[in-house]
């Protein structure tokens, strides 16, 4: 039960009986985040609702739809 908890049948059954998850189904990780891309596109001027001008560069820089590390 220690490894690959997102797909380990034994762990998923245990987690369901303990109430950690609603169903004993494999957990799918979503790497690409569509809502963050919509924020980024809004900062670039697309769409009906646009963020304030002062925040656009920050949103465009940090709202990357793929995970990344920055310092």
């Amino acid at each position: 039960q220690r490894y690959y908890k997102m797909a380990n049948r034994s762990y998923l059954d245990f987690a369901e009986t303990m109430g950690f998850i609603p169903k004993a189904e494999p957990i799918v990780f979503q790497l690409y985040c569509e809502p963050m891309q919509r924020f980024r596109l809004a900062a670039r001027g697309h769409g009906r609702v646009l963020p304030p001008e002062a925040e656009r560069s920050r949103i465009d820089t940090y709202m990357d739809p793929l995970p990344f590390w920055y310092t």
Side-chain angles (χ1 to χ4, degrees), residues 7-66:
N8 185 321
R9 174 56 59 194
S10 176
Y11 174 77
L12 292 172
D13 290 337
F14 168 75
E16 182 184 22
T17 59
M18 295 299 292
F20 300 151
I21 56 175
K23 294 181 184 178
E25 296 176 352
I27 300 166
V28 179
F29 294 114
Q30 191 174 12
L31 291 179
Y32 185 83
C33 185
E34 186 67 35
M36 290 184 77
Q37 179 63 12
R38 281 190 242 128
F39 274 111
R40 186 182 226 181
L41 289 174
R44 293 179 179 174
H46 299 283
R48 294 179 295 150
V49 180
L50 301 176
E53 190 65 39
E55 301 295 330
R56 287 187 186 186
S57 65
R58 184 177 65 86
I59 292 171
D60 188 32
T61 303
Y62 296 110
M63 293 297 225
D64 196 326
L66 294 173

Side-chain angles (χ1 to χ4, degrees), residues 66-71:
L66 294 173
F68 69 99
W69 294 98
Y70 59 91
T71 57

